[in-house]
Amino acid sequence: MVTATWPGVRPEWSRTVDVPSTSAADAPGTVRTWHLLDNGEELARRGMTPVGTLLCVHGNPTWSYLWRSLLAAGTDPAQLWRVIAVDQLDMGYSERTGAFRRLADRINDLGDLTETLGLEGPVVTVGHDWGGVISLGWALAHPTQLTGVILNNTAVHQPSESRIPPALRLALHPAVHTWGTRTSDSFLRVTHSLASPPLPAEVRNAYMAPYRGTHRRGGVGNFVADIPVDADHPSFPALDAVAEGLRTLKVPALMLWGPRDPIFSDRYLKDLIHRLPHAQVHRFEGAGHLLAEDRDIATPVFQWLAGQAQDKDRHGAGTRPEAMADGAATPEPEAFRPLWDELGTLADSDSAAETAVAEMASDGSVARSLSWHGLNRRVLDVAAGLREAGVASGSRVSLMVPPGVDLTVALYACLRLGAVVVVADAGLGTKGLSRAVKGATPDFLIGIDKALAAAAALGWPGRRISVQDLPVIRRRALKVETSLSTLARRAADGAAEHNASVDPEAPAAVLFTSGSTGPAKGVLYTHRQLAATRDTLAETFDIRPGARLVAGFAPFALLGPALGAVSVTPDMDVTAPRTLTARALADAVAAIDATVVFAAPAALRNVLATRDGISEAGQTALDGVQLLLSAGAPIPEPLLAEVQQLVPGASLHTPYGMTEALPVTDISLQEIQAAEAGVGTVKGAGNGVCVGRPVHGARIAVLPLAEDGTASDSPPTLEAGVTGEVLVSAPHVKDSYDRLWLTQQGSASPAGWHRTGDVGHFDAEGRLWVEGRLQHVVTAPGKAVTPIGAEQAVERLDGVGLAAVAGVGPAGTQAIVAVVETVPKVRKAGPAAPHLAQRVRAAAREVGVDVSAVLVVASQPTDIRHNAKIDRARLSAWAARVLAGGRPGKP
């Protein structure tokens, strides 16, 4: 063994141990030689006492080299852990025994080793691939030593209704097995090729080193042959014992997962979560089978270990925020009323026959509607039908239905059952939507025909239920079991008897972010938090039962009935806000004599662009609107002023919020105008968008920015003029990020706050100004520059539409580039004409930003959901290419 050829491994870690074997695979008295990577001697030599031991077990065809990052991290004085990474017998640099070792033998072998080592607790097992099963087998056999388990891409159960992964089926095929796993090194090379990004040559060579030569690969082939493909396999009883024993394991657990694994996919993660429901889970989007190579796992592992030692609160955001200078206390939770509470009340009231929910047709008429009585009855019927179909408390149900009557019914029916609704709209795009659905691993999928076809084509998980009845051939082709219509008809007689009580702290919904700043994240809400969102909206905007709401934004379409508001969905593609026309808006307002309108900024832009299509009757209807809400992206004051002319009787508000907390602050048009004019505050305090003051029940603060543009470790502050990351605390803030434990930990520090990722400051009047996203801060020489202030200054220029500021170059020395969308649109993207560049630089300089280069585009790259959030990271990469002399193309 030459450790110099193992990059990242210190020579003193490598050792061998002679272990008396008690395995049935060996004759009595047999002694086997194991190879380990063990940092214990290093810690002892340095006089350091570890907290405990990580017992790391590799799978096939890797070896202890897989865990080198944990070995290095365990010697950090701040997190001392002895790390023992074993080479299983017949693998790595351990002895080639010549015996076929089954799963039970390998679990027993590991016990022999730890007994010889005299290993005492506390021990946390770490396992990957089939090493995960073996490590769990050891854990179940050594409960007095065990204090935790960590798993990477493994499985303990093969569902009877599905076949093993294709890659393993191929490796097991008689025509392939011996040649692929022993005679050649194909199995190793294929496994190594799963790394993303690809393994460096020296790392790949280190993985190959112990398996050079057919005589060194017997264990590789035997490992594959020992996969229990069915209940008749000799190792099935041992696997089943581990799988069932896992349900009794009460120690803390952490699962780190690479979802791009063609072998251990998310379906195996779902099974593990079912068996270890208390486990904390983090899925690394884009990572695959060799997770320890694809991502830094040492940081989350040791962060989790430290958290366990401190008995850290799992949710973080559920604790009381630390004291602030103003001494204000977090309000106590209000009495819980489930989200559907108002439906039953109105169904039994004098308003029972009045319209509750409606959706518009393209000709301006009402396409469908339900009264309050009809809506409540339909929800009860569908809930009862879903219960008979197997939907239970805790079941995950993906709703792939456009906003309107059907989605409203399905949503409230699922919530009444205690099911967890998964809402990922088509606005994420095909790739993003597929990633979201697969990551959430729903048990059921309720969808329209188009969504069901996508589910069949893209392999989305979940038993499938259509909205409407489908022809038999179509139903079979899409593997649809039944429909909501059928379920409602079958259950109509007994639906009213269903008990609607749920645990307020139980999970209720997983809602996905827009994906505008990275892969869309699932945001988990409890029933209490959903109810708190309803109550916050009601109190902040005085939306009471009897209000009439036009919902051009999906969340409001779903919350309307919870508020007791008559809700109508206008004729538009809700996944593309800019498809809302002025005529469609007016028709929807007229249909219910709406008093409240919610529309995204991109929708309002198109409404203004198409206002010539409004009839006299349509304008009369718009004149009756009393409140207009718009959120999702910064809204320039001039745009709001134009909207005011369209709805002259309405109070215009632009609440600031996010999927994790809707809303956080609120401000009216008049308040924006006063703030921007410097009324009651310091002139020029508005470097950004003024979003006002906290909504009912919410508190906000900022974490000051450090010199490098990141949030510092300073305490949260309310001090005026200090730019930092915006924090929020409120009863309606999300519970956690779904299966993103590491992300949740980062978002919930300081304890009791949610870190929004937005950057802003308070003015002297206590109003919050948002300056952009933390990840979009430009680190120019000597200072950090936030983008929105300069962007708004540039957007006020004639001939400029949307503008974006981005950084080009290394952090700390970035050049500031302005990318502008011209009006009319340019035919070719690239450097701006000199006169435009001069005007843009001058406008940005007025707010203290020195722009180095100005580029023009026909249209900015925006997110699909809002059509307004500009992808500045993409623009930055594009601008760098253009400024380096590359062909512009499209950003």
Side-chain angles (χ1 to χ4, degrees), residues 456-469:
L458 299 173
W460 293 346
R463 295 167 54 189
R464 296 167 196 167
I465 299 173
S466 62
V467 174
Q468 303 297 334
D469 296 336

Side-chain angles (χ1 to χ4, degrees), residues 74-144:
T75 60
D76 185 330
Q79 51 191 20
L80 293 175
W81 280 77
R82 182 184 182 185
V83 181
I84 300 174
V86 307
D87 282 0
Q88 298 194 58
L89 293 175
D90 300 312
M91 304 292 287
Y93 288 96
S94 285
E95 180 182 347
R96 272 31 181 188
T97 69
F100 193 111
R101 313 191 85 80
R102 300 245 176 233
L103 174 58
D105 297 319
R106 294 193 173 280
I107 294 172
N108 190 79
D109 289 340
L110 188 58
D112 289 341
L113 171 66
T114 59
E115 183 175 352
T116 299
L117 293 174
L119 190 62
E120 297 179 351
V123 175
V124 175
T125 59
V126 186
H128 171 252
D129 190 89
W130 289 105
V133 185
I134 295 163
S135 70
L136 290 172
W138 184 94
L140 291 169
H142 297 79
T144 60

